[in-house]
Amino acid sequence: MQNNFFKAIENKTGVTMDDLFTLVNTISNADFTDEKQVRKIVRKVGVLAKKPVSKELEDELTSSILQSGSSLSLSDIQKMM
């Protein structure tokens, strides 16, 4: 059943579970006060969400995340996009 669940997510989103778990692991272990890490996460979410992230949007998202200084979930970052 679990395998079918993951396959359904992959089919619907086009994102592999390996990519998703890698991103979740990166987010859960990230230092959200490190600008380089935050920018990397913002770009990765954009790629996985198939949404272009302009330099301006990346700057805005990074600034917002750095100001909060706390951990964020994948859905928090996606809502910002």
Side-chain angles (χ1 to χ4, degrees):
M1 181 168 132
Q2 187 176 12
N3 193 27
N4 289 337
F5 174 73
F6 290 135
K7 286 291 184 195
I9 291 173
E10 286 181 20
N11 289 337
K12 185 173 182 173
T13 65
V15 177
T16 68
M17 286 299 101
D18 287 339
D19 287 343
L20 186 57
F21 286 135
T22 299
L23 180 62
V24 169
N25 187 46
T26 300
I27 289 172
S28 65
N29 295 315
D31 174 4
F32 287 96
T33 61
D34 180 345
E35 183 175 347
K36 282 185 177 183
Q37 268 191 359
V38 171
R39 286 185 183 277
K40 183 177 177 182
I41 290 169
V42 167
R43 286 190 297 266
K44 183 66 174 174
V45 170
V47 168
L48 289 178
K50 296 180 177 111
K51 292 195 174 192
V53 180
S54 67
K55 177 69 172 137
E56 294 79 20
L57 180 57
E58 181 182 318
D59 290 344
E60 184 179 325
L61 291 170
T62 299
S63 176
S64 177
I65 293 167
L66 289 172
Q67 284 178 359
S68 74
S70 61
S71 65
L72 297 172
S73 70
L74 176 61
S75 64
D76 292 336
I77 296 172
Q78 285 182 317
K79 287 177 189 173
M80 292 178 188
M81 300 180 130

